Amino acid sequence: MTRIADTEQASILSGPESQFCVKLICPDCRNPVPNIVEDFTSGDYVCGDCGLVLGDRIIDTRSEWRTFANEEGDDPSRVGTAANPFLDGDQLDTLIARGGDSGSGMARNLNRTQGRTTGQRNERNLVQAYKEISALCDAYDMPRSIVDIAKQLYKKVEDDNLLRGKSNDAIIAACIFLACRQEGAPRTFKEICALTKVDRKDIGRTFKFLKSKLGTNAGTTSSDDLIARFCSNLNLAQETRTITRLLTQKAKDMENISGKNPVSIASACIYMASHLVGDGREPKAISEIAGIGEATIKATYKILYANRADILTPDILARYPKASEANLVTP
């Protein structure tokens, strides 16, 4: 290939640009507007005016689509699947297909033998657990970050050999429960029980075991973390949610209610706030959403009602015109 500097064209330019004005032109035609053709079939640079070959063995930089399928068909794949950060190794293993041996059965036997290896078996168990975690989290529309944290926790359990003597379903349920807490979107034990079909006691024991062995920060569940989701499921207005949050913050400081379950406090405050604005919800409806008994909600509400003078401060009643103490239900 020949590169010739077109000095006549470069002289038109002034300043630093003239030092870098270099063109690829045909040495025979010397056309100021070169017509260079890249012939990828032969691998040559060719002058489009006179046909002079200016360069050879050029590299084709266009996309190369090839078929890597075992059978005939359209499979334009250039590379393999993306690397999975939750699996060990470089993930460059060779997988033996079952077919393609003209019916001799040799490929099937080799595939079966390969599947019996220890590395393949451990990886297969991890992939199966990851699929189950993803399916369970998708059922509750949990964000991707919670799914990834749950997978990381499960992989750490697998690497530390903590699965021995424990139910795999309980481990998965505890990992999801722990991931929700770490991401600031906690779920109640009853919600995880309904999702995974694992007994609540098993989840609690496994959760405490993983928390102590992994040394991870599990965080805590507060009433504020539950109010938004409970109110959304009950189709309550934004005004009711704001009042519920204010009532919850004031209820935390009460001595006779501070030690109660956050779910009970949140449910009772929702019951009180909904009636306060005239859009009351029955304890049964709140119980189905929160996963606690109606008697618990009524007992906690009874304490709130007895201390309503301290909870329903004048600023709350003045800020929200719909709020009226006369709307409250007498326990």
Side-chain angles (χ1 to χ4, degrees), residues 119-258:
Q120 291 288 334
R121 184 169 59 252
N122 292 340
E123 184 175 306
R124 186 167 58 249
N125 293 338
L126 280 176
V127 171
Q128 183 62 33
Y130 294 158
K131 288 181 179 179
E132 189 171 351
I133 290 174
S134 299
L136 292 173
C137 292
D138 290 343
Y140 270 17
D141 294 328
M142 296 181 184
R144 182 71 181 179
S145 57
I146 292 180
V147 180
D148 292 342
I149 291 177
K151 291 180 180 179
Q152 291 175 359
L153 292 173
Y154 186 88
K155 187 176 187 304
K156 194 171 183 181
V157 171
E158 176 76 18
D159 295 340
D160 295 345
N161 295 324
L162 301 178
L163 289 172
R164 187 173 302 173
K166 300 291 181 180
S167 170
N168 191 58
D169 294 337
I171 291 288
I172 291 177
C175 289
I176 295 176
F177 181 81
L178 191 56
C180 291
R181 279 199 172 187
Q182 290 185 355
E183 273 299 290
R187 297 298 192 271
T188 63
F189 277 111
K190 191 163 186 177
E191 287 179 305
I192 300 298
C193 291
L195 175 65
T196 60
K197 303 298 186 295
V198 180
D199 185 70
R200 177 174 179 174
K201 293 182 179 179
D202 293 340
I203 298 178
R205 284 194 297 263
T206 308
F207 166 70
K208 292 180 180 179
F209 174 77
L210 294 184
K211 182 180 177 181
S212 61
K213 293 295 184 181
L214 299 180
T216 183
N217 181 20
T220 57
T221 302
S222 65
S223 302
D224 294 338
D225 300 328
L226 307 172
I227 289 174
R229 188 169 74 255
F230 289 172
C231 290
S232 177
N233 293 334
L234 290 169
N235 297 321
L236 293 174
Q238 183 63 37
E239 182 181 6
T240 308
R241 302 183 188 185
T242 305
I243 296 176
T244 303
R245 197 174 299 277
L246 294 175
L247 295 179
T248 304
Q249 293 174 357
K250 295 182 179 299
K252 291 179 182 177
D253 300 331
M254 297 172 53
E255 296 180 359
N256 51 357
I257 204 175
S258 59

Side-chain angles (χ1 to χ4, degrees), residues 51-64:
L52 179 66
V53 177
L54 304 178
D56 57 356
R57 297 181 182 180
I58 63 175
I59 298 175
D60 188 355
T61 58
R62 298 174 300 175
S63 299
E64 176 190 6

Side-chain angles (χ1 to χ4, degrees), residues 258-300:
S258 59
K260 286 188 173 294
N261 189 348
V263 182
S264 304
I265 299 175
S267 302
C269 289
I270 290 174
Y271 179 69
M272 188 176 194
S274 62
H275 283 280
L276 189 67
V277 298
D279 187 20
R281 295 293 190 271
E282 295 301 322
K284 183 177 180 181
I286 301 176
S287 174
E288 293 176 354
I289 296 298
I292 60 174
E294 297 180 41
T296 305
I297 298 177
K298 293 179 180 179
T300 308

Side-chain angles (χ1 to χ4, degrees), residues 67-75 99-100:
T67 300
F68 296 94
N70 294 325
E71 301 177 357
E72 294 183 359
D74 187 14
D75 179 29

